[in-house]
Amino acid sequence: MTTSLWTSRQPRDARPSVPVEYGPLVGRRDDEPMRRFRRYGLGQFIHFGLYSLLGGEYDGVSATGAAPAPEWIRAWRGPTAPPNWTDTYDRLNESFDPTELDARAWARQARQMGARYIIFTTKHHDGFALWPSAHSDYTVANSPFRRDLVGEVVDAYTAEGIDVFLYFSVLDWHHPGYTSAVPTDEAGRAGWQDFLEYTRAQLLELLERYPATRGLWFDGTWDASWVASHEFTHRLEQELREKRPGLIIGSRFRNDEHGARHFDSNGALLGDYEQGWERKLPANHEMLGGNDWDGVMTIGPNAWGWLRDTSGQYQKTADDLIDLLMRCRSMGGNLVVNFGPDGSGRMTAHEGRIAEQLGAWVAANADAVYDAGHVDLDPTGLGWLTGDDDRLFLTVVNRPVTGIARLRFPADGGRLPVAARLLDSGRALEMRITDIGYDLDAAVYCDVVIPADVRATRAFVIELALGEAGESTAKAERIDAWM
Ligand code: FHN
């Protein structure tokens, strides 16, 4: 059995066919929840928990470099780690009291940003539950805060029309039965069994308590112990789906009996969408093999939870995120931008700016973002192409000095642009279908003129209406070159 981390989809025909009993439970779905998923476009991730109280440091000492990330600060090791560190961390529930937290304000901000779904951390690797779980003492109920934070988030986002996905870490540093290795003795096996029952109970409890939940977003499923529990996870996925028909579960939940994660040993997707794109995006649409997917992205290089001191670390700007968003959309995926509120429960100033600026852009260019998906045309170095049945959108990120945005279309008599305009202002743009001649008969080109007086400080979208190619666009037949 292999326990390797997910790398990427392998071309199916390159694999020998292997007998698989614990493969996909459902095939490609085309029901209403999945059609909705395909039109989310933009999502928000929120990482919030005990680690948010610390911001990546303790008593003025930074854990950066000695812990993998601020939300991993419990794993702080080495000379800078405070003495008895994990005991100190594990008692943070006693001071968990984010008094400024207002889930309705978060949700309003997310709606202004244009997010159509949220993924919220109900329990991260530290095992602390942000809802009063009946199956654990390590929850918000045993903190000065006491409030059901998951419930507040579900209600607030649902009220703003934003779909809720619940993040749930299987990996749990607090549960005594959790082990990363496959247990080898009786006591270990009993502890692990206990852990599995607790995991099942918490998941059913979440679905029971929060019926508005649209999806479960799993994490921490890479350890050998979980990988070896494929019979249990197969049964559990079935149970979750039965409990909540339409529930969306990504490919990070379980693996087949050979240890293949995300895709079974024959390359079939294990879940409703590919959930392995984290801080990296596919290089091209072909890599995705037609599967649904989303990409989750931090604003800094690698901090999901709040990091107090970000000095020396590049923070993505709204322009970066617009670029990434449209890159995802051009490949049919959603971009999910992570926010890590501080210990009082407030979003940071930078996140506030991102929400505002990204939101303004998305609102002005909504047609290119939500209902427009991948189009089967050559990529252009100018930016990203999206489209629907009647329109094509070019998000210009790299403005050409020539003042001409040139798009290449196959010369097979299919539909071609008949009019162009700027999506945000509606200003009409001059365009022409040109037979440049250098492609012989393979392509025709659409040239859109970007006037010099179009002053853009961000990426902008050119909308092209598609229609039947007219007389004037007919291509001349040319003889091939003799070489
Ligand atoms: O270890 C976590 C990490 O802290 C964060 O939650 C991200 C979000 O996708 N997931 C894990 C790493 O893959």
Side-chain angles (χ1 to χ4, degrees):
M1 172 177 294
T2 60
T3 57
S4 61
L5 289 176
W6 171 89
T7 46
S8 81
R9 192 186 74 94
Q10 302 296 312
R12 275 209 203 192
D13 51 7
R15 290 165 176 260
S17 176
V18 180
V20 172
E21 207 179 319
Y22 297 91
L25 277 162
V26 283
R28 183 181 162 84
R29 284 170 49 183
D30 203 28
D31 49 28
E32 193 271 338
M34 278 312 289
R35 289 203 299 272
R36 223 173 139 84
F37 179 90
R38 291 176 192 129
R39 292 195 310 269
Y40 284 151
L42 178 64
Q44 181 191 41
F45 213 144
I46 293 186
H47 274 70
F48 190 71
L50 296 179
Y51 46 82
S52 310
L53 304 182
L54 305 178
E57 54 192 65
Y58 187 74
D59 257 354
V61 179
S62 169
T64 299
E71 74 282 1
W72 274 72
I73 193 168
R74 187 184 182 276
W76 194 350
R77 301 281 181 272
T80 58
N84 304 319
W85 173 238
T86 50
D87 295 342
T88 305
Y89 184 94
D90 287 346
R91 284 199 312 276
L92 282 177
N93 64 310
E94 293 167 14
S95 49
F96 183 75
D97 197 12
T99 46
E100 302 295 314
L101 198 153
D102 177 357
R104 281 172 307 187
W106 287 0
R108 272 196 304 277
Q109 185 185 55
R111 182 178 46 75
Q112 280 156 11
M113 183 170 83
R116 288 195 170 172
Y117 70 129
I118 182 191
I119 305 167
F120 182 65
T121 49
T122 62
K123 183 189 82 154
H124 202 259
H125 307 334
D126 61 13
F128 182 68
L130 295 184
W131 79 102
S133 173
H135 308 287
S136 165
D137 291 334
Y138 201 46
T139 80
V140 270
N142 282 325
S143 76
F145 189 61
R146 297 190 68 81
R147 286 155 42 187
D148 173 4
L149 188 43
V150 175
E152 290 182 18
V153 165
V154 173
D155 290 348
Y157 278 76
T158 305
E160 292 291 346
I162 299 173
D163 286 357
V164 179
F165 281 48
L166 300 180
Y167 167 106
F168 183 93
S169 170
V170 167
L171 167 62
D172 188 315
W173 294 322
H174 195 78
H175 192 283
Y178 189 83
T179 162
S180 55
V182 179
T184 50
D185 59 15
E186 247 346 279
R189 277 193 287 273
W192 180 248
Q193 199 47 45
D194 195 38
F195 170 77
L196 292 181
E197 280 316 316
Y198 146 87
T199 299
R200 172 178 172 272
Q202 284 205 323
L203 288 169
L204 293 172
E205 182 184 42
L206 282 171
L207 293 184
E208 193 70 48
R209 287 182 67 99
Y210 311 112
T213 305
R214 291 271 183 171
L216 292 174
W217 204 97
F218 288 100
D219 202 2
T221 53
W222 47 76
D223 279 338
S225 49
W226 185 256
V227 172
S229 303
H230 50 83
E231 282 185 48
F232 170 85
T233 53
H234 189 263
R235 238 187 355 261
L236 181 55
E237 184 180 317
Q238 206 154 15
E239 195 174 2
L240 296 171
R241 289 186 188 279
E242 277 162 16
K243 186 160 182 72
R244 183 61 43 74
L247 186 73
I248 294 178
I249 298 178
S251 65
R252 210 187 278 205
F253 179 53
R254 66 179 179 89
N255 48 272
D256 74 8
E257 65 270 39
H258 309 292
R261 304 181 62 237
H262 292 271
F263 298 91
D264 76 6
S265 300
N266 294 316
L269 184 66
L270 287 163
D272 299 316
Y273 68 98
E274 191 181 347
Q275 198 203 332
W277 298 104
E278 174 172 323
R279 289 187 295 120
K280 61 175 187 267
L281 297 179
N284 53 53
H285 185 248
E286 288 66 47
M287 281 181 82
L288 296 154
N291 290 313
D292 292 304
W293 66 282
D294 67 9
V296 296
M297 191 58 70
T298 48
I299 290 178
N302 179 28
W304 296 91
W306 176 52
L307 182 61
R308 184 193 301 268
D309 180 10
T310 56
S311 50
Q313 296 195 4
Y314 183 77
Q315 302 297 305
K316 294 182 191 69
T317 62
D319 289 312
D320 289 323
L321 294 166
I322 290 166
D323 185 21
L324 294 174
L325 169 66
M326 297 315 290
R327 182 170 157 194
C328 288
R329 294 311 284 151
S330 76
M331 293 184 283
N334 301 318
L335 178 75
V336 184
V337 182
N338 181 70
F339 283 51
D342 69 17
S344 72
R346 274 187 303 229
M347 297 297 178
T348 67
H350 186 66
E351 288 166 343
R353 280 190 296 276
I354 293 277
E356 209 179 301
Q357 295 170 1
L358 184 54
W361 191 90
V362 167
N365 296 289
D367 288 3
V369 178
Y370 298 112
D371 292 338
H374 171 74
V375 290
D376 202 10
L377 284 178
D378 287 349
T380 156
L382 305 177
W384 308 109
L385 286 167
T386 52
D388 58 27
D389 287 347
D390 302 313
R391 291 175 301 172
L392 190 63
F393 301 99
L394 169 63
T395 300
V396 179
V397 179
N398 307 310
R399 184 173 179 163
V401 289
T402 56
I404 292 174
R406 177 166 288 171
L407 297 176
R408 184 174 190 271
F409 292 81
D412 62 0
R415 301 210 308 161
L416 289 171
V418 291
R421 61 178 198 139
L422 290 174
L423 182 59
D424 56 0
S425 65
R427 175 173 171 180
L429 300 177
E430 189 191 327
M431 60 142 278
R432 56 184 172 261
I433 300 294
T434 43
D435 174 6
I436 298 172
Y438 59 50
D439 261 347
L440 295 174
D441 296 320
V444 289
Y445 291 80
C446 172
D447 282 357
V448 182
V449 179
I450 305 169
D453 68 352
V454 170
R455 303 250 172 265
T457 53
R458 291 207 191 289
F460 55 93
V461 179
I462 297 173
E463 179 200 64
L464 296 137
L466 297 175
E468 295 312 317
E471 286 282 301
S472 60
T473 61
K475 266 198 64 84
E477 282 289 325
R478 297 198 178 84
I479 57 164
D480 212 338
W482 294 348
M483 290 171 284

